[in-house]
Amino acid sequence: MRLQQVSDQDLVKLYIGGDESVIEELLRRHKSKIFTSIYLLVKDQYLAEDIFQDAFIKVINTLRSGRYNEEGKFLPWVMRIAHNLVIDYFRKEKRTPTITSADGTDVLNLIQVHEESAEERMLREQTHVDLRKMIHHLPDEQKEVLIMRHYADLSFKEIAELTDVSINTALGRMRYALSNLRKMMNVKEISVSRS
């Protein structure tokens, strides 16, 4: 049997059935696309290699444990794992996105030009925590574009290619994400001012 002609789905079944050699074919088939998508996000060759290896370790562990159930969608599943690992990396690095309001001012006011008081620091840190929670509540497609744009500093063209949508769709998702964040912030301000 020539592995090149076997579908991803069948290769996964063979691997789960105990044929360890087929993982090399899956890796050969998809390494370039997965690695490139990671590299575009992190813009660092060594870091991209580390995250790629972590992604494939996670894939292998999931397949071995019998928890894989993405029938016929192997590549999108692996891409999701890789993107989640990239997002985890940015979270660990504590890179907070800059979100600008309609008038162009930074919502988080990240650049502090004076010595901030303990109260100001606590307020700023709470704002970061609140913003992260709000981002978490966005629909997945909006959250993905927002994180790729602000955490990973990708262009909308790169985001469109990685998410397999048009540039206009990526821009639209970003607009909706920012609009939804502003609505959540307004709701939070109203609830804070009432308490």
Side-chain angles (χ1 to χ4, degrees):
M1 166 175 62
R2 296 194 58 209
L3 292 180
Q4 289 88 341
Q5 295 162 345
V6 179
S7 71
D8 286 354
Q9 192 174 345
D10 288 338
L11 286 175
V12 167
K13 285 179 185 166
L14 286 168
Y15 183 76
I16 291 170
D19 186 348
E20 300 272 325
S21 67
V22 296
I23 200 75
E24 288 175 32
E25 175 60 20
L26 284 167
L27 190 61
R28 185 197 62 74
R29 243 177 231 188
H30 302 299
K31 179 178 183 181
S32 174
K33 185 165 190 171
I34 297 163
F35 180 82
T36 301
S37 76
I38 295 168
Y39 180 77
L40 283 171
L41 290 168
V42 299
K43 295 177 173 57
D44 178 301
Q45 178 85 21
Y46 299 110
L47 178 59
E49 286 170 9
D50 286 348
I51 292 173
F52 177 81
Q53 286 173 355
D54 289 347
F56 250 86
I57 289 167
K58 205 165 192 172
V59 165
I60 289 167
N61 289 339
T62 304
L63 292 175
R64 283 185 179 156
S65 69
R67 289 178 290 138
Y68 175 75
N69 58 2
E70 305 285 326
E71 205 68 14
K73 296 184 176 80
F74 180 76
L75 180 59
W77 174 66
V78 178
M79 294 289 270
R80 255 195 330 276
I81 289 172
H83 285 173
N84 287 340
L85 288 170
V86 169
I87 290 165
D88 289 346
Y89 164 77
F90 283 116
R91 277 194 193 123
K92 282 182 195 140
E93 289 293 300
K94 291 189 172 57
R95 286 204 208 159
T96 306
T98 304
I99 312 254
T100 52
S101 62
D103 66 357
T105 57
D106 181 355
V107 172
L108 293 178
N109 197 12
L110 289 177
I111 300 167
Q112 303 293 323
V113 281
H114 65 286
E115 277 296 307
E116 60 185 351
S117 68
E119 184 180 328
E120 288 171 323
R121 190 182 70 250
M122 282 173 54
L123 187 62
R124 181 175 52 83
E125 287 169 0
Q126 186 57 48
T127 303
H128 289 217
V129 169
D130 291 345
L131 180 63
R132 279 202 219 43
K133 285 180 187 166
M134 289 176 197
I135 291 171
H136 184 71
H137 289 295
L138 289 173
D140 286 344
E141 291 169 340
Q142 293 174 23
K143 183 176 13 178
E144 183 179 43
V145 171
L146 183 86
I147 288 170
M148 287 180 171
R149 181 79 182 118
H150 287 288
Y151 281 74
D153 201 29
L154 290 184
S155 70
F156 283 104
K157 183 177 187 290
E158 291 168 321
I159 293 168
E161 287 170 4
L162 282 169
T163 56
D164 207 21
V165 297
S166 71
I167 291 177
N168 283 341
T169 300
L171 285 165
R173 288 176 180 173
M174 185 65 172
R175 257 194 317 274
Y176 284 122
L178 293 174
S179 171
N180 285 334
L181 282 175
R182 284 188 198 106
K183 285 176 193 165
M184 286 186 240
M185 285 175 187
N186 288 338
V187 168
K188 183 160 179 50
E189 282 173 23
I190 291 166
S191 66
V192 167
S193 65
R194 284 186 181 152
S195 55

